Amino acid sequence: MEIKRYEGTGRMSRAVVHGDTIYLCGQTSRDGGDVKAQTAASLAKVEELLDKYGSDKDHILSATINLKDRADFAAMNEIWDAWVNDGHEPARACVKAELASPAILVEISVIAAVK
């Protein structure tokens, strides 16, 4: 089965499609703001990439959320819960992590089925 890699940087691809599965790299916000604003911006990027490569948020199979500060868990979940459609909740993991930049509060990566 062919593997298609999109928007490669020499280090990573923003999206990889293998068969009927799409893998997205971690999405973050470059706009700053609090964890709610960054979560909303990251989820908007997830939606944009899924749409671009043949899927949508209702086809997400798995999500991994990295949080800089565990204290932001409830605030991040407030945005996440409003974003996920009922009946389409993916498997999910959320961990505290040291992220690539001190300004990044949340990073979200997903695996989704092609529509």
Side-chain angles (χ1 to χ4, degrees):
M1 208 175 282
E2 183 181 5
I3 298 172
K4 297 178 183 175
R5 301 172 196 281
Y6 299 97
E7 302 181 47
T9 66
R11 175 176 291 158
M12 60 185 236
S13 298
R14 288 191 72 205
V16 174
V17 179
H18 180 251
D20 291 332
T21 308
I22 301 171
Y23 303 82
L24 299 185
C25 70
Q27 300 302 305
T28 62
S29 172
R30 296 176 192 254
D31 300 331
D34 64 9
V35 74
K36 288 183 178 183
Q38 288 193 25
T39 300
S42 297
L43 291 172
K45 286 181 171 182
V46 164
E47 280 192 84
E48 178 184 320
L49 285 168
L50 289 175
D51 182 60
K52 188 173 186 178
Y53 297 110
S55 192
D56 61 30
K57 68 182 182 177
D58 288 346
H59 286 77
I60 295 174
L61 304 170
S62 175
T64 301
I65 301 171
N66 296 296
L67 279 177
K68 179 178 180 177
D69 187 341
R70 184 80 174 134
D72 287 334
F73 185 70
M76 177 277 300
N77 272 330
E78 186 178 323
I79 303 305
W80 173 269
D81 291 346
W83 181 77
V84 173
N85 292 325
D86 287 343
H88 297 278
E89 302 88 349
R92 191 185 99 168
C94 184
V95 298
K96 179 182 176 192
E98 188 171 328
L99 300 172
S101 162
I104 298 172
L105 304 178
V106 62
E107 177 183 56
I108 302 170
S109 61
V110 304
I111 300 169
V114 173
K115 289 196 283 188

